[in-house]
Amino acid sequence: MAPFLSKRDLSFQLFEVLDSAALPQRPRFAEHSREIYEDILNLAYTVAERHFAPHAREADLNEPHVVDGKVRLVPGVAQALAAFRDAGFFSAHHDEELGGLQLPRVVMQAVQAHFKAANIGTSGYAFLTIGNANLQRVFASPEQQQRYMLPLLEGRWFGTMALSEPHAGSGLADITTTAAPRGDGTYSITGTKMWISGGEHELSENIIHLVLARIQGAPAGVRGISLFLVPRYRIQEDGTPGETNHVVLAGLNHKMGYRGTTNTLLNFGEGGETIGELVGEPGRGLAQMFYMMNEARIGVGMGAVMLGYAGYMASLEYARERFQGRPASQKDPQSPTVPIIAHADVRRLLLRQKAIVEGGLALGLYASSLVDDLQTGPEDAREDTHLLLDLLTPLVKSWPSRYSQDALSDAIQVMGGAGYTRDFPVEMYYRDNRLNPIHEGTEGIQGNDLLGRKVTQAGGRGLQVLLSRMQADLRASEALEGLGEIRTALSTAVSQCTQALQALLSQSGRIGPDLYLANANSALEMLGHTVVGWMWLRQAAAAARALPTARGDDADFYRGKLHAARFFATHELPRVRAHADLLASVDRTTTEMQEAWF
Amino acid sequence: MAPFLSKRDLSFQLFEVLDSAALPQRPRFAEHSREIYEDILNLAYTVAERHFAPHAREADLNEPHVVDGKVRLVPGVAQALAAFRDAGFFSAHHDEELGGLQLPRVVMQAVQAHFKAANIGTSGYAFLTIGNANLQRVFASPEQQQRYMLPLLEGRWFGTMALSEPHAGSGLADITTTAAPRGDGTYSITGTKMWISGGEHELSENIIHLVLARIQGAPAGVRGISLFLVPRYRIQEDGTPGETNHVVLAGLNHKMGYRGTTNTLLNFGEGGETIGELVGEPGRGLAQMFYMMNEARIGVGMGAVMLGYAGYMASLEYARERFQGRPASQKDPQSPTVPIIAHADVRRLLLRQKAIVEGGLALGLYASSLVDDLQTGPEDAREDTHLLLDLLTPLVKSWPSRYSQDALSDAIQVMGGAGYTRDFPVEMYYRDNRLNPIHEGTEGIQGNDLLGRKVTQAGGRGLQVLLSRMQADLRASEALEGLGEIRTALSTAVSQCTQALQALLSQSGRIGPDLYLANANSALEMLGHTVVGWMWLRQAAAAARALPTARGDDADFYRGKLHAARFFATHELPRVRAHADLLASVDRTTTEMQEAWF
């Protein structure tokens, strides 16, 4: 089987594009070193390869089902999560006093990338648990953290996020699950939650749901939503799980892919009382949940990157080993056939995958490095970092979700009929990844978030920070060899973005919010491609700096980076223009379409 | 369940965009009338709805498997094909003396569209059989037609095409299956064929394989390939199937989708002799097979169109019925939620689907009308028609295969999590259609065919015919209202195509065939989008002519056509430029990439 990621590339991204080796200069990471990070990444590779990858197809073929009232999963899932726990990955980024290693977020993201590439379905249980604990670390009371969070850090209990309801998937303002005060500070939770990943299983001693609900009498809309900690089993005085809390599995969803992760319909308060604890202040539920959600959105984007990455590696191996056909210039039918990687169109399909998945990886890790900068970087830069991260989050979520699907389609195409069969993993990755443009905020939601909120917040400061960072990298690259095409193409794209947004924003008052947002999808496309173009400039610059003294495989690696940047410049960045033109023209095609005309 | 196609649109395409009602003026169709065509289309809808659609999901969930040495399919497959046979659809386009109705190809294509939309997997058996018989009708001897073709026309036996081998999928020049003369005019066939759809089943009394093989001593390459009729069961003196012909099922392929159609690995000459009959002259096998293949390529394109169409209809119904969210301008959380079709981004996703599937349908039917023109149109136009059809075939095959996949992704996206589950059919269509860019010639093969052969053949005459037809429609549209955007966008795209091809062709001698073909994919994209833009101009023109006197639903229908044409002009045709620029620049990014750099 092909490797599921390139260790060389991950090292390049962390230590040559980003300056992660300098993180130990910050007090929180003073005990660390590049060697420690590399050891941890090697451990992640080993655990992912030995415990996650082997049952990925088995879990796909045997989706979760209910036997005697219990959700049954293939045995590899529990074994893999035990290995993940034993390696300490549930808490590695937490404080030492909580049992963690205080790993930087960017290193943690790189660790997690291995499990996503090796087995996205099984890794889902771990990452929901980690996200749940991270939210508690910020918003839950010390007593709540003691009771509900510590068992998650130890990997003994697992966590979920329970937002959607059957009538309200994207439209969270309309949720109706209610919380009735029980008089002792706790609440009685009643309602139904839909699309709850990891909502029911026997993998852990308990499951802690983070549930959005309305306290009786709360106002309509998002201001009336509060957040609750709701355990599957009520927690006894000694902290161990006790009797049922009446969270009842009402059904499993049967998905096209991502099958290893149980997805459930849950009834709260069925056949008895479901008791929950309020987190933080009433009415702050959605804002608090967005702490987890923003992290989850970067996580979804990284999941998409890694599915695409695994598909790229599989199709690359196939293209090197499969012999078929001859160059168009070779007319002798008795000449030997060539490996299909020699055909220009196969190389196009591989280059496009490389450009997408390595560009997406650079973006996901860059965003994670901003999380570190927010927490441990220079104080005076944090406000700008915060606004930049806010602006990038919808792009980090949506761009890889969309373009990894294209990359995976290319992986299938490289392999032809073989890629369409279950003899190879790429068809599974393709099915798995199609969830990513949907969950944790659909493409439509990301577009509205980007154009309706992030582009304009703080007077457009986030966009200014982005533009100035891109311009700084463009200027710095002028001294380097071999970057002409990516620099020119990126400059052009940045100008097109700037002009389009200026044109649109100058009319926003006059045209009103509906028309302003009508082409938000083009804003996602335009800025997404431009930001990934920037990531390619940064990678190309790092490669250009290293190439003069590189030898052998290293030199080939850097030439590949420079060439993939050129590919992104010549084949991908020219797409920006059409989207910029559409935005700038305030195109009304979608708003003027009438229902009856369909 | 949503309808799988729009009868109103099919009627519009046949009788308002195309002039199919005039076909009865041709002698071959003298007994026909528009009413007869409409009755036959209604029959097709009924048979498809009652017998094909109901078991589509069941066949997807229970893929073909072997029990006691026999391939087992769900029972609905045999029942559906019996209904198809009873309706006379196996032979409806054949001569009356062969039991047919002499239906025009364009009507036959419209008939077949129903079965593809309702159940692509089951319809596969029928269309392989029809294609096999069509080839025999042209190239097989009268005796062979009597023995091998007539039972196919009666739907008693089924047919396949057996080209690929395990080491040679796209690279047919390297097939090694051999045919040894037996001295009595027949041949002993030995070899292994891969990816054979409908290769083994118990649906019919016999299976007739059309097999490519090399007669012993034949030259290497395509000139050494001959075509053979190879029955599963040897045919007895009385024409009935007798003993086994030793075509042995060596394995079933397990596919991501299109699961209803058995796909097989077959050994010829295993455990005994496989006897076959040569079709036509030795060494003409590939040329003859391309008669079936060209028809199959249009058929694949139409299959893609109809999968996309069925997905569009399903997501449109969902978008009308699902209430969620509010317009951005509506700030009152207590205001009622709206059907999601009211959201601009959902309307974009629906408009894009409409633009793709109705544009693709127009293209597939147009190509079929050219087949009629070739066979029954004015004699003096046939050479031009032939060259135009040749030029369009790779586009008819590849454009819907690729863009219906985008449309189906949009259908899933409209439905969100629901679209990702097996509760709705769109995830199945998405898996099914992913085969279409692979089989009957991959995208890479179509690109090379288009740019390497069709654009230049007969001194570029096919391209000239295409351009002059597009220009004629552009001129004719100037008198009509409401076509400004599509006319301008199409004119621009036509100019971009022309200039790009001129720039490339002017250098073709200097740059050699490998570099000339390096960006063939962009030629597919550029000409594909432009040709579909032309199809939208033609549809918009028909709508503009009809709108002034239309009322009610009809007026809405025509406005929808005009608006979808506008969408294609504003959202899709601007993609042409980037591909044209890449082609014109003779971009070397893929050819200069080295294997070691990946």
Side-chain angles (χ1 to χ4, degrees), chain A residues 331-359:
Chain A
K331 304 295 185 194
D332 177 4
Q334 292 187 291
S335 63
T337 57
V338 297
I340 61 174
I341 196 172
H343 300 307
D345 199 58
V346 172
R347 244 174 299 169
R348 177 184 67 82
L349 293 165
L350 292 169
L351 260 174
R352 183 148 178 257
Q353 290 179 68
K354 181 178 171 72
I356 289 169
V357 305
E358 296 179 5

Side-chain angles (χ1 to χ4, degrees), chain B residues 516-594:
Chain B
Y516 171 74
L517 289 173
N519 298 301
N521 174 69
S522 279
L524 274 185
E525 291 273 17
M526 174 185 88
L527 284 171
H529 253 56
T530 302
V531 163
V532 175
W534 173 38
M535 293 295 122
W536 271 111
L537 177 75
R538 289 165 53 85
Q539 292 182 78
R545 286 191 298 268
L547 184 58
T549 57
R551 295 288 173 271
D553 287 351
D554 252 9
D556 284 338
F557 175 83
Y558 294 125
R559 288 199 181 92
K561 284 289 180 188
L562 286 163
H563 210 80
R566 178 180 160 194
F567 179 88
F568 203 86
T570 52
H571 284 65
E572 291 295 324
L573 278 174
R575 289 171 180 245
V576 167
R577 179 184 169 137
H579 292 292
D581 287 349
L582 196 77
L583 271 179
S585 71
V586 193
D587 181 82
R588 292 164 191 258
T589 311
T590 55
T591 55
E592 291 181 2
M593 180 72 182
Q594 303 298 309

Side-chain angles (χ1 to χ4, degrees), chain B residues 109-435:
Chain B
Q109 194 68 262
V111 164
Q112 295 181 352
H114 294 77
F115 303 98
K116 291 173 173 175
N119 188 333
I120 194 80
T122 295
S123 71
Y125 300 96
F127 299 136
L128 284 163
T129 300
I130 289 170
N132 183 311
N134 289 347
L135 183 150
Q136 290 191 53
R137 184 78 181 105
V138 176
F139 296 111
S141 69
E143 295 73 24
Q144 287 172 337
Q145 291 187 18
Q146 185 69 31
R147 296 182 75 200
Y148 294 98
M149 184 188 77
L150 287 185
L152 299 184
L153 298 193
E154 294 165 8
R156 292 190 290 112
W157 301 359
F158 285 179
T160 78
M161 52 200 298
L163 289 71
S164 294
E165 299 181 4
H167 67 290
S170 296
L172 293 175
D174 295 302
I175 64 163
T176 60
T177 294
T178 58
R182 301 178 69 245
D184 63 350
T186 64
Y187 291 80
S188 183
I189 311 288
T190 311
T192 300
K193 291 289 179 181
M194 181 62 165
W195 307 119
I196 311 310
S197 288
E200 173 98 344
H201 54 71
E202 305 303 320
L203 294 167
S204 56
E205 300 162 22
N206 207 350
I207 301 174
I208 305 302
H209 305 288
L210 281 166
V211 178
L212 292 183
R214 294 180 184 286
I215 298 173
Q216 286 178 329
V222 298
R223 290 183 307 127
I225 298 175
S226 301
L227 179 63
F228 297 86
L229 284 160
V230 180
R232 177 189 189 187
Y233 297 113
R234 291 180 189 159
I235 303 170
Q236 303 178 102
E237 283 294 311
D238 66 355
T240 61
E243 62 185 335
T244 178
N245 197 24
H246 299 287
V247 180
V248 175
L249 177 68
L252 295 175
N253 292 309
H254 300 291
K255 295 171 290 181
M256 175 165 65
Y258 228 109
R259 290 186 168 176
T261 304
T262 317
N263 190 273
T264 60
L265 178 69
L266 295 179
N267 287 336
F268 292 78
E270 180 178 312
E273 197 173 19
T274 295
I275 301 173
E277 284 190 36
L278 180 67
V279 178
E281 296 295 311
R284 298 288 303 153
L286 205 62
Q288 292 168 341
M289 191 56 105
F290 260 83
Y291 184 87
M292 180 170 180
M293 182 67 93
N294 278 328
E295 189 180 306
R297 286 179 175 175
I298 297 175
V300 166
M302 280 294 293
V305 168
M306 299 319 298
L307 284 167
Y309 215 119
Y312 167 53
M313 302 300 279
S315 67
L316 178 60
E317 183 177 89
Y318 185 90
R320 291 189 197 281
E321 294 175 359
R322 170 79 173 172
F323 282 71
Q324 197 169 198
R326 295 165 186 82
S329 55
Q330 175 52 273
K331 303 294 185 195
D332 177 4
Q334 291 188 292
S335 63
T337 57
V338 298
I340 61 172
I341 197 172
H343 300 306
D345 198 59
V346 172
R347 245 176 297 170
R348 177 184 66 83
L349 293 165
L350 292 168
L351 259 174
R352 181 146 180 259
Q353 291 180 68
K354 181 177 170 75
I356 290 169
V357 305
E358 296 179 5
L361 181 59
L363 179 61
L365 294 176
Y366 182 81
S368 300
S369 80
L370 295 181
V371 178
D372 283 320
D373 289 348
L374 259 186
Q375 295 174 348
T376 58
E379 299 264 357
D380 57 358
R382 289 190 191 177
E383 182 57 23
D384 278 358
T385 301
H386 173 75
L387 291 167
L388 178 59
L389 180 61
D390 259 12
L391 178 71
L392 290 179
T393 298
L395 301 175
V396 175
K397 195 275 180 184
S398 66
W399 195 91
S401 294
R402 185 176 301 197
Y403 283 97
S404 267
Q405 197 67 3
D406 283 4
L408 287 163
S409 185
D410 292 344
I412 291 173
Q413 198 65 26
V414 165
M415 301 172 74
Y420 192 68
T421 69
R422 296 201 292 273
D423 296 345
F424 293 89
V426 291
E427 66 85 27
M428 178 175 72
Y429 301 148
Y430 183 73
R431 288 184 288 107
D432 290 345
N433 187 63
R434 186 61 191 80
L435 180 59

Side-chain angles (χ1 to χ4, degrees), chain A residues 63 169 171 174 324 326 329 347 405 409 413 420 422 430-431 434 437 514 563 566 589 592-593, chain B residues 63 169 171 174 254 256 324 326 329 347 405 409 413 420 422 430-431 434 437 514 563 566 589 593:
Chain A
E63 66 186 334
D174 295 303
Q324 199 170 197
R326 295 165 187 80
S329 56
R347 244 174 299 169
Q405 196 67 4
S409 185
Q413 197 67 25
Y420 192 68
R422 297 201 292 273
Y430 184 73
R431 288 185 287 108
R434 187 59 191 81
D514 297 328
H563 210 81
R566 178 178 160 195
T589 311
E592 291 181 2
M593 181 70 182
Chain B
E63 66 186 335
D174 295 302
H254 300 291
M256 175 165 65
Q324 197 169 198
R326 295 165 186 82
S329 55
R347 245 176 297 170
Q405 197 67 3
S409 185
Q413 198 65 26
Y420 192 68
R422 296 201 292 273
Y430 183 73
R431 288 184 288 107
R434 186 61 191 80
D514 297 328
H563 210 80
R566 178 180 160 194
T589 311
M593 180 72 182

